[in-house]
């Protein structure tokens, strides 16, 4: 940051009236234009500052959990998001979503208003506390869901905001900013801040590149393995340039689906353990050198229950802030800088050419009942350039990924944290973050029941999402695991899903409940044509599951019996 910017910052602090205004304006400078949240008296000063701000708009959600998911979705597209909740009751409801953002490296600034310093100082018994005059407990809980936190007062405001923003940016994880309600209304004390740019340490970068270049040269086969963090940091173009300069094949797991278009000639396919695309499995497991770009998450979901044979000693892992080669760690190296350096390599004469990946054929008769075998190819042919598809945990998050998707489709899913209900609210945040693209939500009805009330917020804020709700009469992904598929805990209240948009205040949405392929095809056409939101309830068989799910279930049962 230049001296000019630094001076501007101090000047801004001086002319900004309150701590609350400063926090909002400073976050606006991070590119944030919306604040998701639910108001409450302790956080009123922040809400009021948002209302006053010409840069940040308030986006009210039905509850704090939804707001946290929406903020996560927004941050994935914009690079950062703002979430505002009240003390205790509000922030604790948001924790699952903020913790998920931490797990999946999505930068949410969680701003919370707490009881006034005046009341804290004399130990008043206050609402939203345990009635014991203790005020710090919830701060510790919320802080655990962030990578850094600050308790703001007028004196530390400028310095602490810089510190948490820097740290949150370095890790691309949430920051928790809590401010007592009286301090929020107090004028901020100007301070000189020494800005620290996020960049690599030059000798460390040089050392890392020497090691990487050496390993590339000596390897008989190289594969690039871009991580989900590429999406979070918006480094897709740089990654593609690096992969093209390397000329090697690249593979992705379902966490990075479509990070580079699946039609790219170097795309060897999706890696998912033993259920991988065979070409992808060979490219990854057979490679002498795996260039992990961003820190791929090899968990039970991405590896089909650890079913592959991955040799981590062949990995070079380029993390956000370091490079790991076996036991050696080179710290102070940024992922984006490594990508830029890799892109300078001279591409080989004959880069890798993968077998072309084809979208599966759409089949079946119009009068046929909808089956998973026919549904997923239909989703694949429905999705097109400019769509951002948001996948929910459940049978859908495993059914869609094996489908090859069109160029220009973006996929978002919460694969590691896997908290159901995420996709509905995250789709809302994603639609708010980018109105140029069409957001398409694909969810199971059980997950949808957790957060469906913010379909109302989609209508209210003109977020024209296309929603597909798979109604298979319960929690299929769980039902399939059980010895007895009739255990009642996988049953649900039989909602009339297609009636929800109207009941929740969405005006002129296209809605349909479809049970045959012909009805589905017609509804898809109408949804695509709709200028408002669209909502399609798909009625499907109770035990009809996509093949990958059937495999994963068999594998889990083999590993754990009936208690995963
Ligand atoms: C917050 C949370 N609670 C519980 C679970 C466990 N869980 C994982 S998937 C699932 C059911 C999903 O059902 P549905 O959305 O109907 O999808 P289906 O598999 O039926 O297509 C449940 C309860 C979870 N992942 N997250
Ligand atoms: Mg279901």
């Amino acid at each position: 940051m230049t001296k000019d910017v630094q001076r501007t910052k101090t000047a801004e602090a001086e002319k900004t009236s309150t701590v609350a205004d400063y926090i909002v304006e400073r976050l606006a400078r991070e590119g944030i234009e919306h604040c998701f949240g639910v108001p409450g008296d302790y956080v009123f000063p922040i809400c009021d500052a948002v209302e006053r701000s010409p840069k940040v708009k308030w986006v009210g959600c039905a509850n704090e959990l939804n707001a946290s998911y929406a903020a996560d979705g927004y941050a994935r597209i914009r690079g950062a998001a703002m979430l505002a909740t009240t003390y205790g009751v509000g922030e604790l409801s948001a924790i699952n979503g903020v913790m998920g953002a931490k797990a999946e490296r999505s930068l949410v600034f969680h701003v919370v208003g707490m009881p006034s310093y005046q009341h804290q100082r004399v130990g008043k018994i206050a609402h939203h506390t345990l009635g014991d005059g203790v005020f710090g407990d919830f701060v510790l809980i919320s802080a655990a869901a962030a990578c850094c936190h600050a308790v703001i007062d007028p004196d530390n405001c400028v310095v602490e905001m810089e510190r948490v923003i820097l740290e949150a940016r370095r890790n691309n994880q949430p920051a928790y900013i809590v401010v007592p309600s009286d301090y929020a209304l107090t004028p901020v004390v100007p301070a000189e801040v020494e800005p620290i740019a996020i960049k690599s340490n030059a000798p460390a970068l040089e050392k890392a590149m020497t090691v990487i270049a050496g390993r590339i040269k000596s390897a008989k086969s190289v594969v690039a393995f871009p991580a989900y963090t590429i999406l979070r940091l918006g480094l897709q173009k740089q990654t593609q340039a690096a992969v093209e300069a390397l000329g090697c094949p690249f593979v992705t797991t379902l966490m990075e689906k479509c990070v580079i278009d699946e039609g790219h000639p170097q795309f060897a396919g999706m890696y998912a353990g033993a259920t991988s695309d065979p070409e992808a499995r060979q490219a990854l497991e057979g490679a002498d050198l795996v260039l992990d770009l961003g820190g791929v998450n090899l968990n039970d979901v991405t590896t089909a229950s650890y079913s592959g044979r991955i040799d981590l000693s062949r990995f070079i892992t380029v993390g956000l802030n370091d490079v790991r080669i076996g036991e050696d760690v080179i710290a102070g190296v940024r992922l984006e800088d490594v990508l830029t350096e890799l892109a300078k390599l001279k591409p080989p004469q004959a880069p890798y050419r993968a077998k072309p990946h084809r979208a599966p054929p759409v089949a079946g008769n119009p009068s046929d009942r909808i089956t998973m075998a026919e549904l997923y190819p239909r989703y694949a042919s429905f999705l097109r350039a400019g769509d951002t598809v948001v996948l929910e945990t459940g049978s859908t998050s495993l059914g869609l990924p094996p489908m090859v998707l069109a160029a220009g489709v973006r996929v978002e899913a919460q694969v590691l944290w896997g908290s159901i209900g995420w996709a509905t609210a995250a789709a809302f945040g994603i639609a708010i973050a980018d109105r140029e693209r069409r957001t398409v939500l694909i969810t199971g009805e059980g997950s949808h029941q957790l957060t469906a009330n913010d379909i109302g917020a989609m209508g209210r804020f003109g977020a024209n999402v296309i929603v597909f709700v798979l109604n298979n009469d319960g929690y299929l992904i769980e039902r399939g695991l059980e010895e007895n598929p009739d255990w009642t805990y996988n049953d649900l209240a039989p909602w009339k899903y297609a009636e929800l948009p109207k009941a929740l205040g969405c005006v002129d949405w296209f809605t349909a409940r479809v049970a045959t392929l012909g009805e589905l095809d017609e509804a898809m056409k109408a949804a695509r044509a709709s200028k408002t939101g669209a909502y399609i309830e798909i009625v499907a068989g109770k035990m009809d599951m996509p093949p990958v799910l059937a495999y994963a279930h068999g594998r889990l049962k083999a590993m754990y019996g009936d208690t995963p």
Side-chain angles (χ1 to χ4, degrees):
M1 211 177 291
T2 63
K3 280 274 178 219
D4 278 356
V5 176
Q6 187 176 325
R7 269 199 299 278
T8 315
K9 185 183 297 167
T10 308
E12 189 174 297
E14 275 161 3
K15 72 173 165 17
T16 303
S17 50
T18 67
V19 165
D21 287 311
Y22 184 83
I23 291 171
V24 173
E25 291 306 297
R26 183 64 192 85
L27 293 181
R29 291 224 314 269
E30 295 301 302
I32 292 169
E33 292 181 306
H34 299 85
C35 174
F36 298 89
V38 177
D41 56 351
Y42 297 125
V43 75
F44 277 166
I46 298 290
C47 303
D48 294 349
V50 171
E51 292 283 348
R52 277 194 297 273
S53 168
K55 297 180 194 145
V56 182
K57 185 173 168 353
W58 180 264
V59 183
C61 294
N63 59 55
E64 289 84 353
L65 177 64
N66 291 2
S68 65
Y69 290 156
D72 176 358
Y74 185 95
R76 286 169 181 235
I77 305 302
R78 290 284 190 101
M82 180 177 179
L83 166 70
T85 63
T86 197
Y87 182 68
V89 293
E91 61 183 310
L92 295 180
S93 293
I95 283 208
N96 179 2
V98 182
M99 196 71 88
K102 183 177 183 180
E104 304 235 344
R105 288 194 180 262
S106 176
L107 202 179
V108 174
F109 290 102
H110 186 194
V111 182
V112 172
M114 73 187 302
S116 69
Y117 176 70
Q118 299 283 322
H119 285 183
Q120 290 190 45
R121 189 73 180 84
V122 294
K124 285 254 199 232
I125 308 287
H127 64 283
H128 303 339
T129 73
L130 303 180
D132 53 6
V134 174
F135 295 89
D137 290 350
F138 307 142
V139 172
L140 296 178
I141 296 171
S142 288
C147 73
C148 57
H149 78 284
V151 184
I152 301 287
D153 63 40
D155 294 308
N156 73 14
C157 181
V158 174
V159 172
E160 284 292 81
M161 285 301 291
E162 291 314 302
R163 181 181 64 81
V164 293
I165 289 170
L166 178 71
E167 197 52 18
R169 285 272 181 215
R170 261 174 47 77
N171 295 293
N172 218 67
Q173 283 177 313
Y176 172 60
I177 297 162
V178 58
V179 53
S181 56
D182 52 350
Y183 280 163
L185 297 170
T186 307
V188 81
V189 175
E192 284 294 325
V193 281
E194 198 55 59
I196 303 167
I198 302 176
K199 60 175 185 359
S200 297
N201 167 297
L205 177 63
E206 201 183 317
K207 182 176 169 198
M209 293 316 301
T210 306
V211 176
I212 293 172
R215 288 289 298 274
I216 292 173
K217 208 166 162 210
S218 63
K220 284 197 210 69
S221 52
V222 180
V223 64
F225 203 8
Y228 65 102
T229 45
I230 298 291
L231 286 160
R232 305 288 190 277
L233 295 169
L235 295 172
Q236 294 93 319
K237 284 206 174 77
Q238 293 90 323
T239 306
Q240 184 166 336
V243 165
E244 286 169 0
L246 286 160
C248 65
F250 73 95
V251 301
T252 65
T253 77
L254 69 88
M255 277 179 96
E256 300 83 20
K257 188 166 173 64
C258 298
V259 60
I260 299 173
D261 287 340
E262 298 192 317
H264 193 285
Q266 288 165 249
F267 181 52
M270 209 179 82
Y271 183 79
T275 62
S276 302
D277 206 317
E279 187 179 348
R281 188 168 185 191
Q282 171 54 33
L284 187 75
E285 295 184 2
D288 255 7
L289 172 62
V290 180
L291 266 181
D292 169 357
L293 303 172
V296 174
N297 202 290
L298 294 170
N299 57 56
D300 47 347
V301 185
T302 53
T303 63
S305 304
Y306 318 108
S307 56
R309 257 179 253 111
I310 285 182
D311 179 356
L312 291 176
S313 71
R314 298 182 186 177
F315 274 53
I316 290 184
T317 295
V318 185
L320 262 54
N321 299 300
D322 60 25
V323 174
R324 276 164 290 153
I325 309 126
E327 297 285 294
D328 292 334
V329 178
I330 306 175
V333 179
R334 289 287 298 175
L335 171 61
E336 55 269 32
D337 293 333
V338 173
L339 294 175
T340 305
E341 291 303 315
L342 287 175
K344 291 178 189 162
L345 294 174
K346 193 166 169 290
Q349 293 281 320
Y352 180 84
R353 285 278 174 272
K355 282 197 220 87
H357 300 270
R358 306 218 183 285
V362 168
N365 297 314
S367 58
D368 293 349
R369 307 285 300 178
I370 297 166
T371 62
M372 295 309 101
E374 308 305 346
L375 175 64
Y376 289 103
R378 274 179 168 71
Y379 281 142
S381 77
F382 174 80
L383 294 168
R384 65 185 194 200
D387 286 346
T388 299
V389 54
V390 188
L391 284 183
E392 181 58 277
T393 296
S395 67
T396 51
S397 64
L398 297 178
L400 190 72
M403 305 291 121
V404 176
L405 299 182
V409 174
R410 180 170 179 151
V411 180
E412 292 294 342
Q414 199 194 45
V415 178
L416 173 64
W417 190 246
S419 184
I420 60 171
W422 175 86
T424 298
F428 172 50
I430 286 170
I432 294 288
D434 188 351
R435 289 181 183 271
E436 299 296 309
R437 296 176 69 88
R438 195 87 198 247
T439 305
V440 179
L441 164 64
I442 300 183
T443 178
E445 93 283 37
S447 308
H448 192 51
Q449 284 203 5
L450 275 85
T451 50
N453 45 6
D454 265 327
I455 293 292
M458 290 182 191
R460 179 181 166 205
F461 291 96
N464 297 330
V465 178
I466 298 176
V467 181
F468 291 101
V469 177
L470 182 67
N471 181 355
N472 51 18
D473 208 6
Y475 298 141
L476 171 60
I477 196 166
E478 303 208 326
R479 208 190 283 288
L481 267 179
E482 301 303 325
E483 196 77 330
N484 181 350
D486 294 327
W487 289 132
T488 56
Y489 61 74
N490 287 318
D491 295 341
L492 291 163
W495 288 15
K496 295 187 186 325
Y497 296 94
E499 294 177 22
L500 285 179
K502 189 161 182 231
L504 294 170
C506 300
V507 180
D508 292 335
W509 272 38
F510 168 77
T511 61
R513 181 174 198 270
V514 299
T516 65
L517 292 176
E519 290 168 354
L520 174 61
D521 291 340
E522 284 307 308
M524 281 181 154
K525 266 191 224 139
R528 182 56 83 187
S530 70
K531 296 278 172 269
T532 56
Y535 189 105
I536 301 172
E537 174 187 350
I538 299 171
V539 181
K542 196 168 173 174
M543 291 304 290
D544 184 8
M545 60 180 91
V548 180
L549 179 53
Y551 173 87
H553 279 171
R555 177 106 190 146
L556 275 180
K557 277 190 176 178
M559 281 167 70
Y560 302 111
D562 286 326
T563 49

